[in-house]
Amino acid sequence: MPSSNSACRDSDQSGDEYKERFSRLFKGSIESDCEFIVGPQKNIIKGHKLLFSVASEVFHAMFYSQLKENSTIVIDDLDVDGFQGMKHFIYTGTVSFTSALQACSTYVAARKYLIPQLMDKCIEFTLKQNISPAEVLVLYEFCKCNNISEIEEKCCQIIQEETEDVVKSKYFLLVDIHTIDAILRFNSLHLQSELEIFNHLERWVIAEADRMNLSKNKIASNFNCLKKHIRFLAMSCEEFASGPGKSQLLTQEEKLAIGLNLMDFGSATYPENFSLIQQERVFKTTNFDEIKVQHTFLVSFHEKNKKALKKFDFCEFKWIISQRFFKDSIYFHVQPNDIDNRHYLIRSRIKLRVIARLKYDDLCFENECFTIYDDDSKDESDDRFGISSPVIPLKKLKSPRYMLNDTVIIECTIFLEDIDNTESAEDEHYDE
């Protein structure tokens, strides 16, 4: 009598062989009985009616209902990569994406043909990707155009957190005017100042004017929809004079009105529809150290406080992440292993994501704070001194949605920024 292990191996082998058969159907055109003409390039993709129909009610109606179409289907509103990604899932039950953009293209195809399982996989894949500043604008515009809000939101976050690299990317000068408008609306950007924002806007405008064959003397009157987002009144007189005051993006009348209002607000009529905001945006500059640490923890309710779950280097010394329980809650504690003779002002943002067993049931928590590190805080608080993550009630985690065998999976993302560090000898007021 065969053992249970042998039966399992036979079952696995049979499953692999079964998948391989359908994989061969996907790669070839064996006995295909339909074809799809996809995208503006009219690429021909062959398929099998039965497999497409089993996966999608839309395809079933196309091929087998009373309103059935012929065996050649023209699809103008999808690209080839997205359709191929959908076909791969239909034939193999798996996804094999090479980029976040391909996953989003496949999402659009899956949404059109009502394949929710594939839609979930596309979103899951893209959210886990480390999208680079060089590709984020392309992905943002695709998601904006195709109404993929989950990924659009992630792209906006990357644009704000990595603005400096985003505006240096080759695609920045090619983006749509609506994308520039969206960037200018953000209150927080990883740049130095409002003047730098204006300078990058001017770069894009010059490139766009060239595409439009617009003469230089017409530039100032054609981009009012973008100029209105610049906070000229948040600039210093010197900044305005060095940049906008010399720019072809503003008319002479606009320059004069802004300049007078910078010197004495209200002394001249301000240009209509221009921003009256005098408060600076939240600028995140590169004058300080920063780090992003991401790790996924398997948390057991049988194990209480656990030290050194993960270690990392920041500000020239080591930090540790510990798991802590407080009353009926759990949190993570981030602290330096040691500090030197300098003073640190650390800005922290910690995001916790409790992974659910079903898609889109994840729990998310986030907090942000500023913490001062110095010799006194080390001596007085010792091990207790550090940065705490959001606190999660255990009763939430013990739901069957998240707990399996008394364990839960928590994804922790930590952003640390060294806002200021100085030698203690130079800051005598700390010693007083």
Side-chain angles (χ1 to χ4, degrees), residues 285-304:
T285 68
T286 54
N287 291 337
F288 47 78
D289 293 331
E290 61 181 356
I291 192 173
K292 174 183 177 181
V293 180
Q294 189 167 38
H295 194 73
T296 301
F297 299 101
L298 184 64
V299 177
S300 171
F301 295 112
H302 296 301
E303 300 175 352
K304 292 298 181 181

Side-chain angles (χ1 to χ4, degrees), residues 139-274:
L139 188 63
Y140 168 80
E141 292 192 335
F142 183 89
C143 293
K144 186 72 174 178
C145 179
N146 291 280
N147 194 29
I148 310 177
S149 58
E150 299 97 324
I151 310 306
E152 180 188 337
E153 183 179 340
K154 177 175 181 175
C155 291
C156 288
Q157 180 181 348
I158 295 170
I159 292 169
Q160 291 178 83
E161 292 177 352
E162 304 186 55
T163 320
E164 190 173 29
D165 291 328
V166 170
V167 296
K168 289 178 182 177
S169 67
K170 292 181 179 179
Y171 190 70
F172 173 73
L173 296 180
L174 302 174
V175 297
D176 183 84
I177 190 171
H178 298 100
T179 301
I180 296 296
D181 183 89
I183 293 174
L184 295 177
R185 289 175 183 269
F186 290 135
N187 186 56
S188 174
L189 290 170
H190 198 298
L191 291 172
Q192 301 279 345
S193 64
E194 195 72 23
L195 174 59
E196 189 175 4
I197 295 175
F198 179 85
N199 290 339
H200 289 303
L201 169 61
E202 187 176 39
R203 288 174 55 225
W204 180 87
V205 165
I206 292 172
E208 180 70 2
D210 186 55
R211 287 188 288 269
M212 297 169 61
N213 293 320
L214 200 64
S215 61
K216 290 184 178 180
N217 60 349
K218 292 185 178 180
I219 288 179
S221 59
N222 275 271
F223 296 95
N224 291 331
C225 61
L226 299 179
K227 290 189 292 184
K228 68 180 184 180
H229 297 306
I230 299 295
R231 301 182 183 183
F232 294 108
L233 296 179
M235 296 181 184
S236 66
C237 291
E238 293 77 12
E239 286 177 325
F240 180 77
S242 67
K246 300 176 181 178
S247 173
Q248 57 191 349
L249 191 52
L250 295 174
T251 66
Q252 291 301 321
E253 293 78 8
E254 290 169 343
K255 293 174 184 177
L256 178 60
I258 295 171
L260 289 172
N261 277 279
L262 281 172
M263 290 186 289
D264 182 13
F265 184 70
S267 61
T269 302
Y270 202 66
E272 187 178 2
N273 296 325
F274 273 36

Side-chain angles (χ1 to χ4, degrees), residues 80-102:
V80 175
D81 284 347
F83 191 89
Q84 285 282 32
M86 178 180 66
K87 181 184 175 184
H88 184 278
F89 178 78
I90 288 173
Y91 279 66
T92 68
T94 63
V95 294
S96 181
F97 301 131
T98 58
S99 67
L101 185 59
Q102 186 196 10

